[in-house]
Amino acid sequence: MHDVVIVGAGPVGLFLARELALAGVRPVVLDRLPGRSGEQKANGLVGQVLRLLDHRGLHEPLSGSPDAPRPVPRFVFGAFPLDLALLPGNPLYALPVPQQRIEEVLEGSAGELGVTVRRGCEVTGFTQDATGVTVEYHGPDGTGRLRARYLVGADGGRSTVRKLAGIGFPGVTSPDPVSRIAHVRPPEGIRTTDAGELLLPGCPTPFRPYTHTRTEHGVFVLSPFNPDAVMIATMEWGGPPVDQGTPLTLDELRASIRRVTGADLPLTPARTAGPFTPRRTVGHHTRLAERYRDGRVLLVGDAAHVHAATGGPGLNLGLQDAANLSWKLAAELRGWAPPGLLDSYHRERHPIGRRVFMHSQAQIALMAPGPGTTALRALVGELLSHEDNLARIAALMAGSDIRYDTGCPHPAAGRFAPDLTLTTADGKLRLAELARSGRPLLLDLTGGGSLGPTGRAAGWRDRVDLVTAGCAEPPAGALLLRPDGYVAWACEVGEADPEGLERALRTWFGAPRH
C-alpha cells in the first residue's frame, strides 16, 4: 500500500510529493499526460511563496542566484501601477521563471528523494473506506489499481478527483474578457520616452512596459524581455465573436491591439523561441471548492480554486496549500498528529482561497471599460496614493496579510517567519538555511539554551529540531516554526513562557515521547 497517491504532476503536485518525501512519507504521482506539458501557463512566481521555496533551497536553482529573494520595486493591481520601491518593509516578491522550468526543478528535486511519477495514467474512479482509498486508472499498459491511505487531487481546475468525490465547485463564470497573448519580434515604430514609457504609432497614450495599461476599450501589455522578442497581450470586453476551435493568429492579435489602443502594429514571430506561443483565453472563471477534504480525499491548488491570472496569485496560493497540507498529512501517517490537525488544512487554507476569489474578481472589474469604471478608478487611484493603502494592497498580492490563528498572542505568531541572520555554532546562517530539512524548528534566541534537550521541548526532540542562536535584533526570545514556515508560538525577549511553549508543542506536534 502506498502512503499517498497524488493525481497531477504540475508544480503543486510535484511540490506536495517532494514535501511528503522530505517528511519520510511514500507518495506516488499519477499524471494523465505522457510527458511534461509544453503549454505555457504561469510565467513566474509572485508573493510569499518565494520565501517558502527559499526555506527549501529551491529559490537558488530557480533564480540562478544564491541570494535571498528580494522584493520587487514595482508591480500591478487591476492595471494600476504600484510603486513599491519606497515602501517600508515591502512584502511583495516576484521571480520571472517559466512554468516548464519550475516543473523541471521540482520533479528533479522530488526524484532525488525517491518520488515516482507515473505518466500517461488517467484516473477513472476511486472508492474510499476506513483504512484507505482504492484508485482506478487507465495507463500505458491498460487498466490498473493502486491502494493508498490517502488520495490528493492536484489535477487542475477540471479536477477528476474533485468531481468523483462529489465536492461542489461554486463560483462565477463570465464570457469576458477575451485575453490574447503572443511572443513576437519587436514591432517597428515604438518609441521610448525619457520617462521610460512607450509610445505606439498613432496612439497618444504612453504605456509603461511590463505592466497592464487600461484604455477605454480594454487592456494592453507590452513586455520587452530581450532585443529579439517582446510579449504582447490584450484584454477585451464585448469584442467580436471568437471561434474557440481555431488557434490565435498574429493577425487576430493585431486587430485586437488596434481596437484597444488605436495603434496598428505589424506583428511577426519572434526570432528566438519563447514561452509565449499565441494563446487566447475566453472569459474568466472564479470558483472555490466547498471543502478541501472529503474523508481520505483532499484537494490542493487549482483543483480547489480557480481564478483570473491577473497578478499571478495561482502558484503562490497552490504551493502554499501543498506546504500546509504536507506536514499535517505526514504527521497523520507517522502517528504523531494531534486530534484535528488534518482538518486544520481546510480551516486555514479555505479562507485564503476566498480572499484570492475576492481580489481577482475586483481586479477584473477595475480593468473593464466604461465611464463607471473610469470614475471608480479615479477614486481607487487616490486611495493608492496613500502609503498605508499601498502597503495593504502589496500585502494582499503577496499573501502576507494572512495570519493563522495559532492561539498565541505574540505579533509574530501565525505569520510567516521573518528572514533572520543568525549566529550559530556553525557560523552565520539565515533562518531559511535552517529550515531545509522541512522539520518543525524551535529557535532559541535567548542564548541561554533553556529550551534544550532537558527543557520543556525534550519530549518532542524526535520531531522538532532545536537551534540556539544569537540575533542582532531578535523579534522574539524564541520562535516555534511549523514546517510550512509559519510561526506557531513565540515569546517576548526575556520572557520564557514555558507553559505557552508546551501548549503549542502539544497543539501542533502531538503528545511528547519520553
Side-chain angles (χ1 to χ4, degrees), residues 24 54 123 157 277 288 311-312 324 338 340 351 390 401 409 427 429 434 457 459 468:
D54 187 31
V123 171
T277 55
L288 181 66
N324 187 290
L390 180 62
D401 60 337
L429 294 171
L434 296 175
T468 299

Side-chain angles (χ1 to χ4, degrees), residues 347-401:
R347 188 169 62 248
E348 290 187 338
R349 296 305 298 173
H350 196 264
I352 301 176
R354 282 202 305 268
R355 196 150 178 80
V356 174
F357 187 108
M358 174 271 292
H359 79 66
S360 62
Q361 288 190 89
Q363 290 187 77
I364 292 292
L366 284 168
M367 292 188 288
T373 303
T374 300
L376 177 62
R377 288 182 65 83
L379 175 60
V380 173
E382 288 183 14
L383 295 174
L384 288 176
S385 68
H386 294 270
E387 187 178 283
D388 55 345
N389 293 329
L390 180 62
R392 187 161 187 157
I393 291 296
L396 174 69
M397 298 302 289
S400 62
D401 60 337

